[in-house]
Amino acid sequence: MSSMNLIPVSTSDYRRLAKKRLPRNLFDYIDGGSYNETTLAANVQDFEKLRMKQSVLRDVENIDTTAQCLGETFSMPLGLAPIGLAGMMSRRAEVQAVKAAEKSGIPFCLSTVSICSLEEVAKAATKPFWFQLYMMRDRSYVKELLARAKAAGCKTLVFTVDLTVVGARYRDARNGMAGRLSTFAKFRAALEYPTHPKWLLDVAIKGKPHLFGNLEKLVPSARSLADFKDWVDSQFDPTCTWKDIEWLRSIWDGDLIIKGVLSPEDAKEAVASGADAIVVSNHGGRQLDGVSSSINMTPRIRDVVGDKTMIIMDGGVRSGQDIVKAVANGADFTLIGRAWIWALAARGQDGLEALLATFKSEMDVSMALTGVTNIANITSGVLDQY
Ligand code: FNR
């Protein structure tokens, strides 16, 4: 089928449309991973390698995909992961995303380095959303940011711990997203804008201001990504340790999720530090290339933390089947990163809502045909262990 006629259905359809819609540097920023992208590929391939076990004649008329996370009930065990710079991909993307998440009954997590501010998102939201924090050297700014998050109604803080230094992303370097551009490269990048007129109108013209809404005092513009990278390199704090969790706890009285745990040892530390939940994650294959996929690490982490700790996993979730596989592998909940921003870049809020409805119906069908009717019954038994 010609891509002109494509009605997007799956995550990969939205990816294809996003590729057409976005200037190359922005598409590559979303799509890419670090170094040779082996972990990025493994995140997806290791889901594909898992086989489900078909089970028939089990009365599956009433399927219930609802899932609990930190005391709240959601329509399925899925949330929207924090994505930096989302508002450069679709007009005021973080506002569209929080609305789509609410309509679909799932949580939305706002990134520290979002385009829309906490306050702009809060205005559009009718319920509390989650806020993600990167630790900055300037602790007084962190304190101020968390006070803003609280005032914006956030009750859940997602503290990301796997970006104390930034993994080199070769695509970004080639596109000048991670350093200085030569005059020729600048000229080539400028040519991308008129050749992507829908993005130009929707985001470049109507989607202003292009500021980091939560950091406007610190980083003046989201358009100079080289300046932004310099700021990240100088401000993100590599001296951070498990001790800082105590400090965070002293200034944040809501739920605390630690995101970016990938080893059983760190998972134990995270539980000991009093985290309410952990996100098993390798940052979508954007940090240390060569580490294991999140889906492969999830059962090993479940083994060491036991049943009491909430395990959220992300990396490579592209369908409702993947959510079922993640739960069968020991996760309580999952997040999607690229899938949601591809859908939003391609078709805005409607596109994202449609994709989330697809995920839900894929879960319904996967559960029916593996013979389970609720999330609690999704165990390793739904996977083919032969
Ligand atoms: C991210 N991720 C991320 N994580 C975070 O804690 N704060 C952030 O600002 C960002 N920004 C960001 C931008 C982009 C473009 C991507 C693709 C990812 C990581 C993200 O939250 C999540 O861990 C991964 O995206 C999960 O992998 P998948 O679903 O993209 O395969």
Side-chain angles (χ1 to χ4, degrees):
M1 193 204 292
S2 132
S3 58
M4 292 286 283
N5 302 324
L6 181 84
I7 297 169
V9 180
S10 64
T11 298
S12 55
D13 290 346
Y14 283 104
R15 175 181 179 275
R16 238 183 336 258
L17 290 174
K19 188 171 187 181
K20 284 182 66 179
R21 175 79 72 119
L22 293 173
R24 177 167 179 171
N25 58 347
L26 294 181
F27 176 77
D28 276 350
Y29 166 74
I30 304 175
D31 200 60
S34 54
Y35 304 94
N36 291 323
E37 304 187 344
T38 49
T39 295
L40 168 61
N43 277 349
V44 174
Q45 286 161 3
D46 288 346
F47 265 114
E48 286 169 356
K49 279 185 204 151
L50 289 175
R51 296 278 170 262
M52 287 187 274
K53 193 160 94 186
Q54 184 166 299
S55 285
V56 296
L57 297 177
R58 281 166 199 266
D59 184 358
V60 288
E61 190 183 7
N62 298 310
I63 302 279
D64 178 6
T65 61
T66 58
Q68 305 279 323
C69 186
L70 302 175
E72 266 192 81
T73 303
F74 296 103
S75 65
M76 54 185 155
L78 177 71
L80 303 187
I83 294 282
L85 288 161
M88 295 307 289
M89 315 300 159
S90 185
R91 190 195 319 177
R92 315 313 289 166
E94 294 89 352
V95 163
Q96 296 188 64
V98 80
K99 288 185 187 165
E102 281 192 4
K103 277 202 179 164
S104 311
I106 66 168
F108 166 73
C109 185
L110 184 72
S111 166
T112 297
V113 291
S114 56
I115 298 296
C116 299
S117 65
L118 278 153
E119 294 75 15
E120 186 177 346
V121 173
K123 242 187 235 161
T126 62
K127 300 179 193 149
F129 55 96
W130 298 358
F131 181 62
Q132 175 264 328
L133 176 74
Y134 283 127
M135 188 62 84
M136 293 168 233
R137 289 186 197 265
D138 182 348
R139 295 289 200 273
S140 63
Y141 198 80
V142 171
K143 230 172 147 176
E144 192 181 316
L145 206 51
L146 294 194
R148 279 173 68 182
K150 192 159 183 202
C154 299
K155 294 190 173 128
T156 304
L157 183 68
V158 176
F159 176 39
T160 300
V161 294
D162 59 1
L163 205 128
T164 42
V165 294
V166 185
R169 300 172 194 155
Y170 290 157
R171 293 200 222 183
D172 288 353
R174 289 185 192 113
N175 292 326
M177 296 281 282
R180 306 284 148 195
L181 277 181
S182 66
T183 309
F184 174 70
K186 272 188 195 149
F187 175 68
R188 214 184 50 183
L191 280 184
E192 284 284 298
Y193 297 106
T195 52
H196 294 87
K198 285 186 176 158
W199 173 86
L200 191 70
L201 184 66
D202 181 48
V203 183
I205 296 172
K206 294 187 177 168
K208 287 179 182 164
H210 301 139
L211 301 171
F212 289 102
N214 302 322
L215 308 168
E216 76 260 72
K217 283 195 215 152
L218 307 177
V219 198
S221 160
R223 265 170 299 185
S224 170
L225 290 159
D227 288 348
F228 172 60
K229 175 143 191 313
D230 289 348
W231 177 80
V232 167
D233 288 344
S234 67
Q235 255 306 321
F236 284 21
D237 189 355
T239 68
C240 218
T241 69
W242 293 104
K243 279 238 165 275
D244 290 277
I245 309 278
E246 271 170 42
W247 176 75
L248 262 189
R249 274 291 192 205
S250 72
I251 58 165
W252 178 258
D253 58 8
D255 285 324
L256 178 66
I257 302 178
I258 299 185
K259 174 173 181 282
V261 170
L262 198 66
S263 76
E265 294 77 11
D266 282 350
K268 272 199 208 159
E269 290 265 18
V271 173
S273 77
D276 296 293
I278 56 173
V279 185
V280 175
S281 176
N282 48 40
H283 217 97
R286 297 163 77 79
Q287 284 294 92
L288 181 58
D289 192 35
V291 291
S292 297
S293 65
S294 310
I295 188 63
N296 272 7
M297 292 313 296
T298 302
R300 291 162 67 182
I301 289 177
R302 172 59 76 198
D303 279 351
V304 299
V305 302
D307 284 340
K308 287 206 185 82
T309 302
M310 175 94 204
I311 296 183
I312 305 171
M313 71 79 58
D314 76 16
V317 176
R318 301 286 183 266
S319 67
Q321 288 89 303
D322 291 341
I323 302 173
V324 172
K325 289 174 177 178
V327 175
N329 251 7
D332 296 300
F333 215 78
T334 63
L335 303 176
I336 46 172
R338 291 180 182 83
W340 79 255
I341 195 67
W342 284 329
L344 210 61
R347 290 287 156 91
Q349 187 183 333
D350 289 348
L352 178 51
E353 284 174 23
L355 182 67
L356 294 173
T358 300
F359 272 50
K360 164 87 170 60
S361 66
E362 287 170 344
M363 280 199 77
D364 284 334
V365 171
S366 307
M367 288 169 70
L369 292 175
T370 52
V372 294
T373 52
N374 60 48
I375 298 295
N377 289 339
I378 303 178
T379 63
S380 56
V382 309
L383 296 177
D384 187 349
Q385 313 279 357
Y386 300 119

